[in-house]
């Protein structure tokens, strides 16, 4: 029997990368998953790949009515929610002189507003307790990259939000933790660079800088998301689990 048998999970940004790998893992462990993303085509591909026990809800986590639609769908189909993996994220490299209000709103909207209101709107359905995992990043607190100021601030903000939520959520039987990836081989890693050549250079640099000498795989992050979402981590709340090949530790 799987370790998430009978559980209902929402995974935002579940159509590719870490979210998709986690959706596959949760379903293999017996859960029913609702995955989200803005693009219908990749959501359909993800559902075909996951194969069973999955519903896709198209929407933007930065849009309040899309979030309402997501949780209304969960309520109508299952009536309850046990696990939220707030995973959807956006990244863009911008140096200080080029930061605009639009850039700030876009990155903060997805990575911080999307997390905060995603958690708030999930809570009424988490009537039997459960676990919330927020996908942050080692650049939130452990590493710095000069062109990722707003992205780093958004991830550090999510980390602060988690800590503040621990007492209230504990009283409701809900654990909340951050998962902080280092460089991981997903579409976001490749797409944040202007060309494939630039992405290759960044990949080689990340390989060299990481103590384990390679970047992570989506399945390695999914293992950690499963750990934090399941009773395997039943005495853990409020932590920031770095899954980064040691990059943020040295
Ligand atoms: N890969 C890395 O090196 C790395 C490192 C540190 C942290 N992270 C974090 O890991 C998380 C997952 O990223 P990933 O690496 O798995 O990248 P990914 O494969 O590009 O996945 C991103 C997912 O989020 C969705 N998404 C993006 N913007 C969204 C929005 N506004 N509303 C709803 N869904 C949205 C994407 O689908 P649509 O585009 O169709 O919406 C996709 O499903 C992110 O929070 C990222 O910051 C990644």
């Amino acid at each position: 029997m799987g370790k998430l048998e009978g559980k209902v999970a929402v995974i935002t940004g579940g159509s590719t990368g870490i979210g998709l790998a986690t959706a596959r893992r949760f379903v293999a462990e017996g859960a029913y998953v609702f995955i989200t993303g803005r693009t219908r085509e990749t959501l359909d591909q993800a559902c075909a790949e996951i194969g069973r026990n999955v519903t896709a809800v198209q929407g933007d986590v930065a849009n309040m009515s899309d979030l309402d639609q997501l949780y209304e769908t969960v309520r109508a189909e299952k009536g309850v929610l046990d696990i939220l993996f707030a995973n959807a994220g956006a990244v863009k490299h911008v140096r200080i002189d080029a930061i605009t209000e639009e850039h700030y709103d876009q990155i903060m909207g997805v990575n911080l507003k999307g997390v905060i209101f995603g958690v708030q709107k999930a809570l009424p359905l988490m009537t039997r307790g459960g676990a919330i995992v927020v996908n942050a990043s080692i650049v939130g607190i452990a590493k710095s990259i000069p062109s990722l100021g707003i992205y780093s601030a958004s991830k550090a903000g999510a980390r602060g939000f988690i800590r503040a939520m621990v007492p209230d959520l504990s009283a409701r039987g809900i654990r909340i933790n951050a998962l902080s990836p280092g460089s991981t081989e997903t579409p976001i890693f490749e797409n944040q660079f202007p060309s494939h050549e630039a992405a290759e250079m960044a990949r080689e640099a990340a390989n060299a800088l990481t103590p384990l000498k390679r970047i992570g795989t989506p399945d390695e992050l999914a293992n950690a998301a499963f750990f934090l979402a399941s009773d395997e981590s039943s005495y853990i709340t409020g932590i920031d689990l770095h899954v980064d090949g040691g990059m943020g530790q040295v």
Side-chain angles (χ1 to χ4, degrees), residues 11-20 36-40 42-43 57-63 66 85-91 106 109-111 115 134-139 151 155 179-192 215-216 218 221:
I11 301 176
T12 66
S15 58
T16 61
I18 296 166
L20 174 58
T36 83
R38 294 161 304 169
T39 317
R40 172 51 57 192
T42 45
L43 282 172
V57 184
Q58 190 175 11
D60 183 340
V61 293
N63 181 301
D66 285 0
F85 184 28
N87 163 75
V91 64
Q106 192 227 338
V110 180
N111 297 351
V115 167
V134 176
N135 203 337
S137 169
I138 60 166
V139 302
Y151 179 79
K155 297 296 190 177
L179 170 63
S180 280
S183 297
T184 308
E185 192 56 74
T186 68
I188 226 177
F189 185 85
E190 178 81 20
N191 296 339
Q192 68 188 285
I215 69 173
L221 271 298

Side-chain angles (χ1 to χ4, degrees), residues 4-224:
L4 297 178
E5 211 65 51
K7 303 287 187 193
V8 178
V10 162
I11 301 176
T12 66
S15 58
T16 61
I18 296 166
L20 174 58
T22 303
R24 281 199 311 261
R25 178 68 190 273
F26 281 8
V27 168
E29 295 284 350
Y32 192 97
V33 299
F34 290 81
I35 59 169
T36 83
R38 294 161 304 169
T39 317
R40 172 51 57 192
E41 196 187 339
T42 45
L43 282 172
D44 290 345
Q45 284 166 4
C47 285
E49 196 177 319
I50 295 164
R52 65 194 166 98
N53 293 341
V54 57
T55 297
V57 184
Q58 190 175 11
D60 183 340
V61 293
N63 181 301
M64 300 294 263
S65 54
D66 285 0
L67 284 176
D68 287 335
Q69 179 59 44
L70 166 63
Y71 291 110
E72 176 50 31
T73 305
V74 177
R75 194 200 59 73
E77 287 193 24
K78 296 290 176 188
V80 70
L81 180 67
D82 303 294
I83 297 164
L84 167 61
F85 184 28
N87 163 75
V91 64
K92 195 169 177 196
H93 292 264
V94 180
R95 300 292 284 232
I96 182 66
D97 293 328
I99 290 173
T100 60
E101 189 178 7
E102 186 193 10
H103 168 65
Y104 177 93
D105 287 345
Q106 192 227 338
I107 300 298
M108 286 291 187
V110 180
N111 297 351
L112 191 54
K113 178 185 167 194
V115 167
I116 291 172
F117 288 101
V119 168
Q120 185 198 57
K121 289 173 186 291
L123 286 179
L125 284 168
M126 298 185 76
T127 50
R128 51 189 188 194
I132 298 173
V133 183
V134 176
N135 203 337
S137 169
I138 60 166
V139 302
I141 55 167
K143 277 282 162 195
S144 69
I145 297 176
S147 56
L148 289 182
I150 304 301
Y151 179 79
S152 303
S154 71
K155 297 296 190 177
R159 205 293 174 250
F161 172 71
I162 287 166
R163 292 168 68 99
M165 290 305 106
V166 167
D168 284 355
L169 295 192
S170 298
R172 297 179 186 216
I174 298 168
R175 298 179 298 104
I176 182 167
N177 292 291
L179 170 63
S180 280
S183 297
T184 308
E185 192 56 74
T186 68
I188 226 177
F189 185 85
E190 178 81 20
N191 296 339
Q192 68 188 285
F193 300 103
S195 65
H196 177 64
E197 290 68 34
E200 264 306 302
M201 281 172 64
R203 198 175 274 111
E204 280 168 25
N207 287 340
L209 283 170
T210 303
L212 292 182
K213 295 299 168 207
R214 63 176 177 82
I215 69 173
T217 68
D219 284 342
E220 288 173 316
L221 271 298
N223 287 341

